[in-house]
């Protein structure tokens, strides 16, 4: 027989979040995995009503009450829970009624889906990114070879022309060939490895903020919402400034398209997250940088191809800024995501905080 001490030890070491509710749907017990998932203390939360821990829907609450009354177990897939600290969780959970101390209690086993959904989405994103890189490199090779020939022929032709005025035409050919070559080089991105050093992320954001304030000259509201406790991050300072600046400039240009510039607002926010997965690596601690604006939003048809080169929602846009940003973040072993709808667009950058995680 398994004694009580061993049963307790097993529960405490389960990776599955487990909660026990009494017949009144108040918390009797939660294991450490549940504490980590909900970001609450089990001891402090003891006796709290289930809605104080997280909320789902009135129908879900009714289903829990029915499970108590009828002692009927059930399972729910991809439920969206709103935790007390403001986080949104996508989970699967199983509810099992058990008879204890002459009352029906509910055992909840909660399996977070966010991590699996994020990994699936991220793998698809990285796969698309690699495919795009291969296509762009192949296209760049095919473009740059004839460009070199055109430029060289124009230079030779300029030497043979007897009239100086005619050389203006060859200069146009040379300049346009150089412009196309530079565009292709920007599409390919930098092959230079990041020059890593311990950097305060807020120095990067303040540099970007100062540049944007100088450019917009009071045309929008720039809000800083920083967590000063975030430690320094191993990064290439100049590259990270460029990555963030590309996003903020896009937000500024989107806000400029609105009729009332006085309502334009960009928020720079920093936070830390625990036990966060990037790729197949679960990091103990990461920093999250959010660039949020209240502009018109990104068109739905562009959101799946947002980080592709040459994709832009503006007639005069090159579509290279976000592709370059994603390449920089990838070189830092990080992740970039976007969520957008009219009135609310948020780009989130996740960077590992562990020293040595970014070694090239």
């Amino acid at each position: 027989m398994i004694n009580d001490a061993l049963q307790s030890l097993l529960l405490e070491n389960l990776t599955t979040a487990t909660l026990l509710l009494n017949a009144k749907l108040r918390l009797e017990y939660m294991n450490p995995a549940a504490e980590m998932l909900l970001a609450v203390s089990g001891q402090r939360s003891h006796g709290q009503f289930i809605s104080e821990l997280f909320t789902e829907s009135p129908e879900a609450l009714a289903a829990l009450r029915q499970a108590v009354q009828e002692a009927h177990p059930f399972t729910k897939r991809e439920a969206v829970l709103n935790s007390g600290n403001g986080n949104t969780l996508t989970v699967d959970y199983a509810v099992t009624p058990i008879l204890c101390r002459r009352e029906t209690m509910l055992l909840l086993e909660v399996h977070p889906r966010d991590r699996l959904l994020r990994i699936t989405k991220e793998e698809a994103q990285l796969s698309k990114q690699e495919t795009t890189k291969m296509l762009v490199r192949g296209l760049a090779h095919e473009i740059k070879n004839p460009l070199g020939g055109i430029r060289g022929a124009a230079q030779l032709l300029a030497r043979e022309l007897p009239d100086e005025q005619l050389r203006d035409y060859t200069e146009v050919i040379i300049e346009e060939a150089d412009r196309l070559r530079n565009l292709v080089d920007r599409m390919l991105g930098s092959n230079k490895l990041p020059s890593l050093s311990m950097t305060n992320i807020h120095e990067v954001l303040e540099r970007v903020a100062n540049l944007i304030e100088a450019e917009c000259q009071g045309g929008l509201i720039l809000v800083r919402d920083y967590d000063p406790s975030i430690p320094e991050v191993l990064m290439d300072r100049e590259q990270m400034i460029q990555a963030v600046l590309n996003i903020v400039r896009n937000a500024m240009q989107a806000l400029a398209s609105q009729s009332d510039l006085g309502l334009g607002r960009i928020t720079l926010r920093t936070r830390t997250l625990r036990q966060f997965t990037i790729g197949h690596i679960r990091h103990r601690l990461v920093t999250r940088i959010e660039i949020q604006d209240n502009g018109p939003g990104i068109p739905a048809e562009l959101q799946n191809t947002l980080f592709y080169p040459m994709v832009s929602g503006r007639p005069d846009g090159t579509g290279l800024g976000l592709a370059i940003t994603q390449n920089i973040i990838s070189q830092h072993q990080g992740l970039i995501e976007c969520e957008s709808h009219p009135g609310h667009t948020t780009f989130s950058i996740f960077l590992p905080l562990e020293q040595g995680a970014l070694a090239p």
Side-chain angles (χ1 to χ4, degrees):
M1 293 292 291
I2 299 177
N3 59 35
D4 291 344
L6 185 53
Q7 288 179 2
S8 177
L9 183 64
L10 292 173
L11 279 171
E12 295 292 306
N13 286 279
L14 282 178
T15 57
T16 300
T18 306
L19 300 89
L20 182 64
L21 306 178
N22 62 24
K24 296 180 180 180
L25 301 186
R26 293 188 175 275
L27 182 68
E28 291 287 335
Y29 168 81
M30 69 165 58
N31 68 350
E35 292 180 331
M36 182 175 294
L37 179 67
L38 300 175
V40 296
S41 164
Q43 187 175 1
R44 293 182 180 179
S45 303
H46 185 270
Q48 287 187 346
F49 188 63
I50 185 66
S51 294
E52 296 178 77
L53 298 171
F54 59 80
T55 56
E56 185 184 353
S57 66
E59 294 78 13
L61 196 58
L64 291 175
R65 289 196 171 102
Q66 186 177 359
V68 172
Q69 294 169 1
E70 301 178 4
H72 182 68
F74 69 92
T75 301
K76 192 163 184 182
R77 304 293 182 190
E78 295 194 11
V80 178
L81 308 181
N82 296 304
S83 64
N85 58 9
N87 291 334
T88 300
L89 306 169
T90 303
V91 303
D92 296 339
Y93 66 84
V95 178
T96 306
I98 56 176
L99 188 61
C100 180
R101 299 196 298 266
R102 296 185 180 181
E103 69 171 326
T104 300
M105 307 181 83
L106 297 182
L107 180 68
L108 273 65
E109 299 170 77
V110 185
H111 302 270
R113 293 282 297 168
D114 298 88
R115 182 187 175 201
L116 296 176
L117 293 172
R118 185 185 298 278
I119 289 173
T120 302
K121 181 181 177 181
E122 185 183 341
E123 285 179 342
Q125 180 177 310
L126 291 174
S127 176
K128 289 178 183 178
Q129 183 184 359
E130 288 303 315
T131 302
T132 304
K133 278 184 179 180
M134 291 176 63
L135 290 172
V136 168
R137 290 188 185 282
L139 180 63
H141 178 74
E142 294 300 323
I143 291 174
K144 290 180 80 171
N145 280 347
L147 275 180
I150 291 170
R151 191 182 192 282
Q155 287 175 320
L156 291 174
L157 180 60
R159 295 174 189 171
E160 299 297 327
L161 290 173
D163 190 343
E164 283 289 336
Q165 293 183 347
L166 293 176
R167 293 185 183 180
D168 291 342
Y169 298 108
T170 57
E171 283 299 318
V172 170
I173 296 173
I174 293 170
E175 288 172 4
E176 287 301 296
D178 288 342
R179 187 179 66 83
L180 285 174
R181 184 192 62 198
N182 292 334
L183 178 62
V184 171
D185 287 339
R186 289 178 63 198
M187 287 174 61
L188 289 172
S190 175
N191 289 322
K192 181 184 174 183
L193 288 173
S195 177
L196 303 174
S197 61
M198 299 306 294
T199 304
N200 188 322
I201 190 62
H202 300 123
E203 290 181 8
V204 171
L205 296 181
E206 278 302 295
R207 174 63 174 164
V208 171
N210 292 336
L211 289 170
I212 292 300
E213 285 175 335
E215 289 180 20
C216 71
Q217 297 182 347
L220 57 83
I221 301 169
L222 192 62
V223 180
R224 297 162 171 85
D225 181 7
Y226 298 157
D227 178 357
S229 68
I230 296 177
E232 291 186 336
V233 185
L234 195 59
M235 68 171 70
D236 185 313
R237 182 178 182 275
E238 296 306 316
Q239 283 193 11
M240 197 56 62
I241 289 173
Q242 184 63 55
V244 176
L245 187 59
N246 289 344
I247 299 173
V248 178
R249 277 202 176 127
N250 280 356
M252 183 177 69
Q253 289 161 357
L255 290 169
S257 67
Q258 295 187 146
S259 58
D260 190 349
L261 291 179
L263 295 178
R265 179 187 296 267
I266 297 176
T267 301
L268 303 177
R269 181 179 295 112
T270 58
R271 294 291 186 270
T272 55
L273 296 175
R274 296 183 181 277
Q275 303 301 327
F276 188 85
T277 301
I278 299 176
H280 292 285
I281 302 175
R282 192 168 181 85
H283 297 276
R284 185 180 60 83
L285 196 64
V286 302
T287 183
R288 178 178 66 192
I289 306 161
E290 289 185 353
I291 299 101
Q292 187 178 96
D293 72 74
N294 62 343
I298 298 167
E301 64 271 16
L302 292 182
Q303 291 190 23
N304 289 332
T305 57
L306 196 57
F307 298 103
Y308 287 5
M310 311 305 292
V311 173
S312 176
R314 303 191 312 276
D316 59 341
T318 64
L320 294 178
L322 291 179
I324 291 170
T325 292
Q326 186 184 51
N327 185 54
I328 291 171
I329 301 303
S330 296
Q331 285 186 316
H332 285 76
Q333 309 302 314
L335 172 68
I336 181 170
E337 295 180 341
C338 177
E339 177 190 349
S340 181
H341 54 80
H344 179 95
T345 297
T346 302
F347 281 86
S348 300
I349 297 172
F350 303 91
L351 297 172
L353 280 172
E354 297 96 330
Q355 291 191 23
L358 306 180

